[in-house]
Amino acid sequence: MFIRYKKNYEKIAMGLLSFMPEEKDVKKLQQTIKEYETNPDWHLFLWKEEDVLGAIGVRIENDIDAVVQHVSVNPSHRNSGIGKKMVKEVRDMFGDKYAVCADESTQEFLNKSIEDEQKNEESD
């Protein structure tokens, strides 16, 4: 289930985002979370099954692009499709109004997720 980040998920969200290479530093991570909490153009979502297993962050730029800037999945749940599900949810949520794209840190993953999604649609 896809849920919007709330303050009571702060520790979980920080833990998930800390798996991203550019968010290793605690001060940087705290700034990132604060930006998600205060900037109306930054949106953080969590993927929850029994527990919160993943996080994906989107930044709206110039009222044109929805830039996926964070994608992180709990290491013990990786390679089970959670990241791809989160990307699909973001594309469904923002794709009508914005061009969903990636920043440098998420480009490779986003491209692969979209390719896999298109392959699955073709085989259906």
Side-chain angles (χ1 to χ4, degrees):
M1 178 172 63
F2 209 47
I3 56 174
R4 189 173 286 276
Y5 167 80
K6 293 185 193 95
K7 184 84 171 148
N8 57 331
Y9 288 116
E10 182 178 38
K11 283 188 172 73
I12 294 166
M14 285 180 73
L16 287 164
L17 292 179
S18 73
F19 294 124
M20 294 204 60
E22 67 276 7
E23 298 294 341
K24 293 280 186 226
D25 176 59
V26 175
K27 283 209 184 326
K28 168 83 170 84
L29 188 55
Q30 289 170 330
Q31 288 174 328
T32 299
I33 288 291
K34 186 165 181 51
E35 193 73 26
Y36 278 118
E37 290 173 352
T38 59
N39 187 332
D41 290 331
W42 282 43
H43 307 276
L44 184 61
F45 301 93
L46 304 173
W47 186 265
K48 186 174 184 186
E49 290 178 3
E50 287 172 24
D51 296 314
V52 175
L53 304 177
I56 188 165
V58 179
R59 176 182 75 244
I60 305 301
E61 270 187 5
N62 306 321
D63 282 334
I64 298 170
D65 295 325
V67 181
V68 176
Q69 58 186 3
H70 294 105
V71 179
S72 181
V73 175
N74 180 319
S76 60
H77 291 274
R78 288 190 181 152
N79 300 313
S80 61
I82 292 168
K84 288 178 188 162
K85 288 177 189 173
M86 291 191 301
V87 168
K88 182 176 180 348
E89 288 286 338
V90 163
R91 291 181 71 218
D92 290 348
M93 187 179 289
F94 291 97
D96 290 343
K97 190 172 179 190
Y98 303 102
V100 177
C101 54
D103 71 358
E104 272 183 34
S105 64
T106 62
Q107 185 72 55
E108 195 175 318
F109 182 79
L110 194 75
N111 289 348
K112 183 168 178 3
S113 296
I114 292 168
E115 281 173 25
D116 289 353
E117 186 182 323
Q118 288 168 343
K119 282 180 195 166
N120 288 342
E121 287 172 0
E122 289 168 7
S123 66
D124 285 344

